[in-house]
Structure formats: C-alpha cells, structure tokens
C-alpha cells in the first residue's frame, strides 16, 4: 500500500473533499488500494459493508437499553492541552480531530451526542482496534463459563499453532500482548505484518502471492523474536489469535458467538458487523462496525461491574476488577515496552488501555481516532468515531483524551458507584491495588467481617510518604464470586481466584 498523504490543515473543509458517488454508490476513484486513505475515509469508514464482505453480529430480539437524554453543551469547556501550547476548548479539539461523531454519558444519562458531515445516529462505523476490547470481553465470558484457562498455552486449544512462533505462549500472555511473536505494527510500511495481513484477508490487493491464503494460515506462519511473557508490545495478531481461540473452544463463528455472549445482551440498538475473509473468518483485531450509541452501551459494562444497562450480567465482576487492577508486572512490562506509547505509569490489560497511573481512566482505542473513554470517578463513558487522515497521530489522540478528562472534571465526582476507591494509590512503582466494586444489591446491610484484618503494609525499605492500604474486599463478594487462596499473615494481603487466575488485594503484589 502506498504511503498515506500529508494531513490536511485542521481548517480545511474535510467533509467536502469526498468525491462524488458513482452509479454503484462508491466514491469515484476509491478502490481496495486507497480506501483507508484521505479523502475517502469519512465515507468508507461508515460504509464498509458496501465494498467489503462482512457478517452480521445480531443484536437479538431483546430490549434496547434506553439512554435518557439530558443534553449539555460541553464544547466551551476549557482544555489545557500541551499539544496546543495554550488553553483550548472541547469543541475546538473535536473540530480539529476529524470527528465523525462523539457522545458522553454520565450517571446513565446521555449528555452529549454530536455528528459531523453526513454521519448520523444510525451510522455503522468501523471501530478499528476498539474491536479488540470487544473480543477481550468475549474471552472473559468464556473464562467465566469455564471454557478457557488463561494459564494454559494456546496450542493446548489450537493444535495448529504447535511448532510455530506462538507455541508456548499462554492465553494471558496473548491477552495482554506479551507474547514473543514477531509482528510489526508500522502502518505506513507496506511490508509490515499488519499490512501483509490485510492482503491475506482481502482488505488490500494481493501483491505478495507467497502469503498464506487465510487469516488462520497467516497466524500459523508467524515466527518468534522474543520470549513469551516479556515486555508489552502492541500487535494486532494477538487479538486474531484470541478470536481463533474463541471459535475453537465455543465451536461457533465469532459473529454468532459475539452476538450470543455480548451484543445481544448489552441492549444494543443496532446490529454490528465484522469484516471477514473468503472463509468467513473475522477480522477480529479491527474489523467490527457499530453505532456510536452502542459503543456507549458497551463501555458501560466497565462501570456496571460487567452488567449491561438492561441488567444482564455479560461478564463477571471479577473479570472487570481484574481488568482495572492489572497484574503484578503489567505496569512494569508496559514501561519496558519498545513501543512509543507516551503513557507513563500506564498499562495494557485484557485488551484495554490505561493511560495513567491508577485505575480511574480506561480506554478502548483504534487507529484513525476511534475511542471509548471510561472514567470511574465521574461514572462517565464517552465515545468518539473519527476519520484521521493518518492511522496514528499523537497530536490528535492526546488532546482527545484531555478533552474527555476536562469533561469528567467539569461534571465532578459521582456518588453512583458504591465503593469507588477515590483514595486509590499505587502500592509500588508497577503494581496497583483496587477493591472489587460490588453493586448495592450485593452489599450486606450489616457490617461485613473481613476475610483477614487489614494492617499497614510494611515496606522493604523506608518509603515517604507512607502508602495507604487498599480497601478490604467484602467477604460476601468473595463467597459468591471467588475463592480465597491465600492470606499474607504480615500484610493482610488477600489473594482471590475469580476463575481467571489469582489476584491479590490489599498487599504489595497481585
């Protein structure tokens, strides 16, 4: 694929640059070579099913989760953005970042919903790598059903991967993008594996006829260039391996599986779709298309302890807690990453991003400006669909995050989430601790006897200031959803197995 053109200035009339549609509805001049390039993006990103093969992810016949509207104008909220070099506004950032649509929900109310150009609420827009976070929840649901063990290697489930680069990688390694697989994510390099994969699945003209003919064949051809379990490296093939895994253990294709486990249970308003190869295999890492409002509904799972807005338990509270808590080396592996992440103190867990220290803000991110933003403190979910001319652009990504941070600050702290750890603090440089957030119905009316007394953590060396102990986990939550496997007699740290592997709360490690 040719190198993408230079980004037009923010003042250009970007939505007026789309060429006229031909008699078949396709923009004049657009083809398989250039559909991911400007000036076609605003059209192609919301019309994928018009020119590429897709499969439906059904919303089912259940009720739609209503989003009560209480519209508020946030466009004038001031944003202190280093990328701008001076205070700017939410509205200016949305105007400058090729936004197709953005929305904000706080405390269950839809406060903002805006569309640009020819986009509207019924638009099914490509999510790019936000798709990864959806696949991550499907993995979580299968773990909850006992069909997956994250500690097992992937060839245990997929024998076809024995003897290839993935052999020996555990599901946890792949879920957190810490395998040793060789895979380049350099989007502007036509020879990078991320672009070669597009030739394999039919998203780009096949110029290298030596490439495998299917997604699964491509995954089995990948080599290893490092040890499994090493530093975080962002690689789309990890999610494709997870998608294959989900299909093997469930015996179902992803469109049906995702419909049954996720999409039909979140109260989605519209069907989603996923791009597929000639054998019907999904482009798991970035091929899902959905509407803006349904992105908000998906994001709300992480504020509702795995429950949808219709009250269905889609994934366990333990899985959500594990996502926010991370593992004992999640932040260290992120810090040691060779990638240019520009998120100091952050981490990547269960196919989701954490841009800061702590567990207040979580992101689902896709190239060209797709984003779901979740802020626990503000009980806020925001979503943005975009058509950036270039796949990656830090001068658009970080101001967008900062804009949503500013909105969260403007609406203030929410009191709608019980046991929200506002006093959360890291327990060491790389490890964080958080309590399980339990819905009101699960919190006993009488005081809960703790599993073990919480005493201050004694550091190995003098630490100033002293780090506060994390809140205790309610005993009833452990009894109903997890199993205590160890209690540290000195620190009071409690290790709980939620069915996805052990996590420790209240101590120095997890």
């Amino acid at each position: 694929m040719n190198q993408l053109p230079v980004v037009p200035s923010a003042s250009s009339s970007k939505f007026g640059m789309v060429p006229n549609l031909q008699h078949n509805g396709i923009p004049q001049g657009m083809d398989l070579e250039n559909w991911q390039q400007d000036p076609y993006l605003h059209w192609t990103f919301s019309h994928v099913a018009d020119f590429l093969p897709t499969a439906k992810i059904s919303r089912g016949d259940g009720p739609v989760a209503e989003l009560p509207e209480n519209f508020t104008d946030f466009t004038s909220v001031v944003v202190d953005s280093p990328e701008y070099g001076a205070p700017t506004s939410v509205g200016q950032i949305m105007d400058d970042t090729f936004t197709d649509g953005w929305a904000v929900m706080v405390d269950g109310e839809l406060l903002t919903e805006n569309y640009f150009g020819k986009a509207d609420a019924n638009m099914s827009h490509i999510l790019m790598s936000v798709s990864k976070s959806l696949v991550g929840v499907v993995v979580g649901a299968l773990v909850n059903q006992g069909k997956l063990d994250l500690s097992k290697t992937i060839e245990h489930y997929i024998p076809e991967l024995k003897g290839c680069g993935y052999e020996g990688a555990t599901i946890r390694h792949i879920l957190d993008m810490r395998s040793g697989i060789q895979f380049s994510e350099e989007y502007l390099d036509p020879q990078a594996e991320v672009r070669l994969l597009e030739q394999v699945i039919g998203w780009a003209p096949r110029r290298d006829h030596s490439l495998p003919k299917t997604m699964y064949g491509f995954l089995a051809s990948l080599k290893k260039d490092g040890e499994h379990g090493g530093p975080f490296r962002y690689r789309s093939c990890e999610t494709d391996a997870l998608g294959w895994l989900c299909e093997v253990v469930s015996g179902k294709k992803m469109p049906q599986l995702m419909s049954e486990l996720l999409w039909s249970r979140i109260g989605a308003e519209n069907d989603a779709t996923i791009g597929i190869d000639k054998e019907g295999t999904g482009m798991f890492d970035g091929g899902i298309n959905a509407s803006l409002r349904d992105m908000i509904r998906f994001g709300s799972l992480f504020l509702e302890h795995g429950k949808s807005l219709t009250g269905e338990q889609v994934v366990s509270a333990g899985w959500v807690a594990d996502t926010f808590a991370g593992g004992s080396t999640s932040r260290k592996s992120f810090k040691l990453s060779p990638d240019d992440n520009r998120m100091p103190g952050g981490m990547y867990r269960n196919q989701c991003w954490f841009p800061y220290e702590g567990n207040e803000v979580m992101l689902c991110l896709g190239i060209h400006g797709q984003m779901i933003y979740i802020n626990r403190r503000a009980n806020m979910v925001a979503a943005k669909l975009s058509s950036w001319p270039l796949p990656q652009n830090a001068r658009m990504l970080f101001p967008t995050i900062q804009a949503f941070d500013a909105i969260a600050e403007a609406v203030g702290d929410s009191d709608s989430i019980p046991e929200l750890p506002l006093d959360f603090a890291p327990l060491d440089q790389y490890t964080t601790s958080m309590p399980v957030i339990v819905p009101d119905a699960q919190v006993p009316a009488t005081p809960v006897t703790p599993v073990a007394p919480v005493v201050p953590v004694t550091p190995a060396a003098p630490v100033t200031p002293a780090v506060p102990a994390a809140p205790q986990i309610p005993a009833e939550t452990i009894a109903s959803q997890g199993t205590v496997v160890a209690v540290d007699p000195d620190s009071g740290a409690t290790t709980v197995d939620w069915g996805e592997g052990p996590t420790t709360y209240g101590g120095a490690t997890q």
Side-chain angles (χ1 to χ4, degrees):
M1 184 174 288
N2 298 327
Q3 182 165 322
L4 301 179
V6 176
V7 182
S9 67
S11 61
S12 61
S13 180
K14 45 188 173 289
F15 300 124
M17 296 192 303
V18 177
N20 292 328
L21 301 184
Q22 301 178 98
H23 68 280
N24 60 0
I26 304 298
Q28 185 174 358
M30 191 277 284
D31 56 26
L32 203 59
E33 181 77 42
N34 62 22
W35 71 273
Q36 294 186 73
Q37 299 178 20
D38 195 54
Y40 304 107
L41 300 177
H42 180 65
W43 187 89
T44 58
F45 280 7
S46 57
H47 291 83
V48 169
D50 291 346
F51 61 93
L52 290 174
T54 60
K56 182 173 74 172
I57 301 171
S58 174
R59 67 161 302 277
D61 56 7
V64 173
E66 297 299 328
L67 302 179
E69 298 172 355
N70 185 13
F71 288 138
T72 304
D73 184 4
F74 291 118
T75 57
S76 61
V77 171
V78 175
V79 182
D80 292 320
S81 174
E83 285 75 16
Y84 277 73
T88 185
S89 68
V90 168
Q92 188 65 54
I93 289 173
M94 296 301 169
D95 286 344
D96 290 349
T97 55
F98 295 81
T99 306
D100 295 329
W102 68 287
V104 174
M105 182 180 76
V106 176
D107 288 339
E109 291 186 327
L110 192 65
L111 302 189
T112 289
E113 184 180 21
N114 292 297
Y115 298 95
F116 294 73
K118 296 184 178 181
D120 59 35
N122 294 316
M123 167 184 66
S124 184
H125 194 288
I126 193 164
L127 305 185
M128 294 299 187
S129 290
V130 171
S131 306
K132 293 177 170 67
S133 301
L134 275 67
V135 172
V137 169
V138 172
V139 172
L142 290 172
V143 169
N144 296 155
Q145 292 179 358
K147 294 181 178 179
L148 277 177
D149 181 342
L150 300 186
S151 68
K152 291 189 180 298
T153 60
I154 193 162
E155 71 270 15
H156 172 82
Y157 296 103
I158 308 176
E160 293 90 336
L161 292 180
K162 187 173 180 61
C164 79
Y166 267 119
E167 182 175 4
T170 67
I171 311 307
R172 169 53 72 195
H173 291 154
I174 298 169
L175 194 59
D176 292 351
M177 296 206 181
R178 295 180 60 186
S179 80
I181 210 72
Q182 180 178 328
F183 189 93
S184 171
E185 201 82 9
E186 292 292 333
Y187 299 102
L188 299 185
D189 178 2
Q191 295 305 309
E193 284 85 354
V194 70
R195 292 306 190 191
L196 295 179
L197 176 56
E198 293 184 343
Q199 292 187 41
V200 170
I201 66 167
W203 277 24
R206 180 175 281 271
R207 304 198 184 282
D208 185 344
H209 295 282
S210 68
L211 291 170
K213 299 186 183 303
T214 64
M215 162 81 78
Y216 293 163
F218 182 80
L219 293 174
S221 74
L222 295 176
K223 308 300 182 184
K224 180 181 173 185
D225 66 355
E227 294 302 314
H228 298 313
F232 165 78
R233 286 188 295 160
Y234 186 80
R235 288 156 297 188
S236 290
C237 61
E238 307 281 57
T239 312
D240 294 320
L242 292 173
W244 188 359
L245 174 70
C246 291
E247 292 192 341
V248 167
V249 301
S250 68
K252 299 174 181 178
K253 285 290 190 179
M254 182 61 79
Q256 178 186 355
L257 181 64
M258 184 171 286
S259 170
E260 292 177 0
L261 296 185
L262 174 64
W263 211 247
S264 67
R265 306 179 68 189
I266 64 169
E269 190 169 356
N270 300 290
D271 294 330
T273 61
I274 184 171
I276 55 175
D277 70 9
K278 65 180 184 179
E279 292 195 346
T281 301
M283 182 60 157
F284 310 121
D285 69 75
I288 297 176
N289 305 267
S291 68
L292 184 65
R293 284 190 172 209
D294 285 342
M295 290 173 69
I296 293 286
R297 293 180 174 97
F298 170 75
S300 70
L301 291 174
F302 294 93
L303 293 180
E304 299 293 331
H305 329 294
K307 280 188 177 180
S308 71
L309 295 176
T310 60
E312 286 203 63
Q313 193 76 45
V314 176
V315 70
S316 74
W319 182 266
V320 173
D322 176 84
T323 302
F324 279 105
S328 61
T329 58
S330 293
R331 294 184 189 270
K332 181 176 182 178
S333 73
F334 194 84
K335 181 178 181 179
L336 296 176
S337 173
D339 299 345
D340 182 18
N341 297 313
R342 305 188 194 186
M343 297 179 179
M347 69 173 180
Y348 189 87
R349 184 71 162 180
N350 294 341
Q351 303 281 289
C352 298
W353 296 83
F354 290 82
Y356 309 127
E357 294 183 357
N359 65 351
E360 181 179 311
V361 176
M362 190 191 94
L363 304 172
C364 310
L365 295 177
I367 58 171
H368 292 282
Q370 321 321 318
M371 179 186 297
I372 297 176
Y373 169 101
I374 296 158
N375 190 304
R376 287 158 47 88
R377 187 187 297 268
N379 198 22
M380 167 178 156
V381 180
K384 185 176 186 287
L385 296 167
S386 312
S387 48
W388 296 352
L390 290 175
Q392 295 174 306
N393 190 328
R395 294 183 64 82
M396 293 189 182
L397 171 63
F398 292 104
T400 300
I401 298 172
Q402 294 151 9
F404 288 141
D405 285 343
I407 292 173
E409 186 69 23
V411 300
D413 294 352
S414 172
D415 57 2
S416 298
I417 302 182
E419 299 196 23
L420 185 66
L422 300 183
D423 58 348
F424 168 82
L427 291 175
D428 61 35
Q429 187 176 2
Y430 304 120
T431 304
T432 59
S433 180
M434 63 166 286
V436 174
I437 304 176
V438 188
D440 287 333
Q442 295 180 325
V443 178
T446 56
V448 178
T449 302
V451 174
V454 176
V455 296
V457 176
T458 303
V463 176
T464 304
V467 178
Q472 184 68 29
I473 313 166
E476 183 171 305
T477 303
I478 296 173
S480 63
Q481 300 184 41
T483 302
V484 175
V485 296
V487 177
D488 188 303
D490 298 320
S491 68
T494 304
T495 301
V496 182
D497 189 342
W498 301 104
E500 301 101 22
T503 301
T504 299
Y505 302 92
T509 59
Q510 301 167 347

